[in-house]
Amino acid sequence: MTEKIIDGKEISSEIREKIKKFSDVLKKESGRTPGLAVVLVGENPASKVYVKNKIEKTKEVGFNSIEHKLDEDVSEEELLSVVDKLNNDDEIQGILVQLPLPKHINSDLVLDTIKPIKDVDGFHAENVGKLWSGLDSLVPCTPLGCSILLKKLSSDLSGKNAVIIGRSNIVGKPMAALLLGMNATVTIAHSRTKNIEELVRSADILVAAVGIPEMVKGNWVKKEAIIIDVGINRIEREGKRILVGDVDFEECMKNSSKITPVPGGVGPMTIACLLLNTLFTSYKQFGKQEIKLSDIFE
Ligand code: NDP
């Protein structure tokens, strides 16, 4: 690994160690253990892998992990009643409904049924509104992870141009809110944007969250740019199944000052931030003095 590479694996492992320490203190002081419930609907292979990883890491930091597996054809009503039960369960501080949900289920309705205080994915409209208003809220895990990686390089992005490719509610939009909060000048590109290459060339900070393997080419990237690659794409190369991001890593690394690899960049940060959110909201729900990101990184 060169010094250009932002090692999300290592940074996330440090964060999880800190979470474990805070979790031990919280358990001792409150006599309670934070509980994270994960709801998985159907048999999507990628979702199953994500959920397995999340459960493993949840246990590692000393939280209780509760898994609810539901059949692909579960009714919306049944799923909502599971969420409702978890909302009212004092043993559960965080609820995560793994996306995507089957087409017959209204995902927005399900996400908005989760109590905002237990919404560790940060997708509830109340948390989204608070994030955009600059108020304290639970922040979506992937963009939160990206912002932590960026803060390690510089906490104030005044005068910097940030370009995000992708406008999803999960990554692109909340990422824009976080970058604005760090004083960057933010542009969001999407499938209807013209001249993406030109926009990318103006970026001091590039966040790629598109889902197109190696879409961003080396000659699109400004010299000394910081590149955060959110993409996780499974492709076949030289007879092997491999994971690549949304940027052409080898080419883009040449121009960039810092870059996240895939795998080992943003992915592990997402899980660490899920646990962070569970820790934050557990302090709140156990009636303890609230803690913030700055407490973790002191
Ligand atoms: P979505 O499919 O929800 O959004 C993709 C975005 O990319 C959309 O806004 C879309 O535009 C835009 N887009 C599509 N094609 C183009 C194009 N040719 N030019 C410019 N923009 C385009 O994806 P997500 O945001 O959920 O995820 C993005 C990527 O990040 C995926 O690879 C996903 O696997 C990965 N991911 C990784 C995570 C991690 O932990 N590392 C977590 C979450 C996602 P439009 O809105 O116009 O359709």
Side-chain angles (χ1 to χ4, degrees):
M1 295 254 176
T2 77
E3 62 196 24
K4 277 194 179 185
I5 293 174
I6 306 173
D7 190 342
K9 216 168 155 187
E10 190 179 312
I11 297 170
S12 64
S13 153
E14 286 164 14
I15 294 174
R16 291 199 312 276
E17 268 171 39
K18 287 187 181 163
I19 294 174
K20 169 99 178 62
K21 284 191 185 139
F22 275 87
S23 154
D24 288 345
V25 172
L26 178 62
K27 280 154 75 171
K28 212 166 167 187
E29 284 180 353
S30 67
R32 299 176 66 186
T33 301
L36 173 60
V38 180
V39 182
L40 174 64
V41 180
E43 300 290 331
N44 180 320
S47 293
K48 279 166 104 172
V49 173
Y50 294 143
V51 165
K52 185 172 164 274
N53 285 340
K54 285 169 186 172
I55 290 175
E56 226 172 78
K57 296 285 184 284
T58 302
K59 290 180 183 162
E60 266 174 38
V61 297
F63 297 165
N64 287 329
S65 170
I66 300 92
E67 188 184 7
H68 285 264
K69 275 187 179 165
L70 303 171
D71 289 338
E72 181 84 25
D73 60 358
V74 68
S75 69
E76 186 176 282
E77 200 185 349
E78 240 175 291
L79 175 56
L80 290 176
S81 99
V82 169
V83 172
D84 196 46
K85 264 196 204 125
L86 295 170
N87 276 338
N88 295 308
D89 185 342
D90 283 347
E91 301 291 308
I92 303 293
Q93 280 61 55
I95 304 169
L96 179 153
V97 177
Q98 184 65 43
L99 299 178
L101 290 171
K103 289 207 167 60
H104 66 278
I105 292 175
N106 177 347
S107 302
D108 291 339
L109 177 63
V110 174
L111 297 178
D112 259 2
T113 303
I114 298 172
K115 258 191 196 168
I117 197 167
K118 295 190 176 186
D119 170 37
V120 282
D121 252 341
F123 296 153
H124 190 286
E126 186 176 312
N127 283 319
V128 175
K130 283 184 171 173
L131 173 63
W132 280 100
S133 308
L135 300 171
D136 247 5
S137 65
L138 287 163
V139 176
C141 305
T142 300
L144 178 59
C146 297
S147 75
I148 291 173
L149 294 179
L150 286 169
K151 276 184 188 152
K152 288 225 158 226
L153 304 174
S154 168
S155 58
D156 188 4
L157 302 177
S158 297
K160 302 287 183 196
N161 285 332
V163 172
I164 303 162
I165 317 181
R167 60 173 163 180
S168 71
N169 290 336
I170 293 172
V171 190
K173 285 183 198 154
M175 191 69 237
L178 290 170
L179 284 164
L180 280 176
M182 293 168 77
N183 296 325
T185 304
V186 181
T187 306
I188 309 184
H190 47 77
S191 68
R192 313 292 174 91
T193 303
K194 293 214 161 71
N195 299 328
I196 288 208
E197 292 185 36
E198 286 297 299
L199 277 179
V200 171
R201 273 188 201 106
S202 72
D204 300 300
I205 293 130
L206 173 68
V207 180
V210 197
I212 299 180
E214 300 174 332
M215 171 181 149
V216 177
K217 305 300 172 205
N219 63 359
W220 296 18
V221 172
K222 184 175 173 177
K223 247 200 158 17
E224 297 298 302
I226 297 172
I227 303 177
I228 305 288
D229 190 353
V230 180
I232 302 178
N233 308 292
R234 286 171 178 79
I235 63 160
E236 196 151 323
R237 182 168 289 157
E238 292 161 11
K240 281 191 197 146
R241 297 278 289 164
I242 58 164
L243 284 186
V244 296
D246 290 340
V247 310
D248 184 324
F249 181 76
E250 294 301 332
E251 272 190 31
C252 290
M253 186 161 65
K254 290 179 194 149
N255 270 346
S256 64
S257 68
K258 293 276 176 189
I259 184 166
T260 58
V262 177
V266 174
M269 291 299 290
T270 299
I271 299 189
C273 288
L274 171 70
L275 303 174
L276 258 185
N277 279 344
T278 307
L279 182 75
F280 293 152
T281 195
S282 297
Y283 266 79
K284 218 182 226 178
Q285 290 174 58
F286 293 171
K288 295 282 158 198
Q289 194 180 353
E290 286 177 35
I291 54 164
K292 297 198 165 112
L293 262 188
S294 49
D295 299 310
I296 299 282
F297 290 106
E298 247 171 18

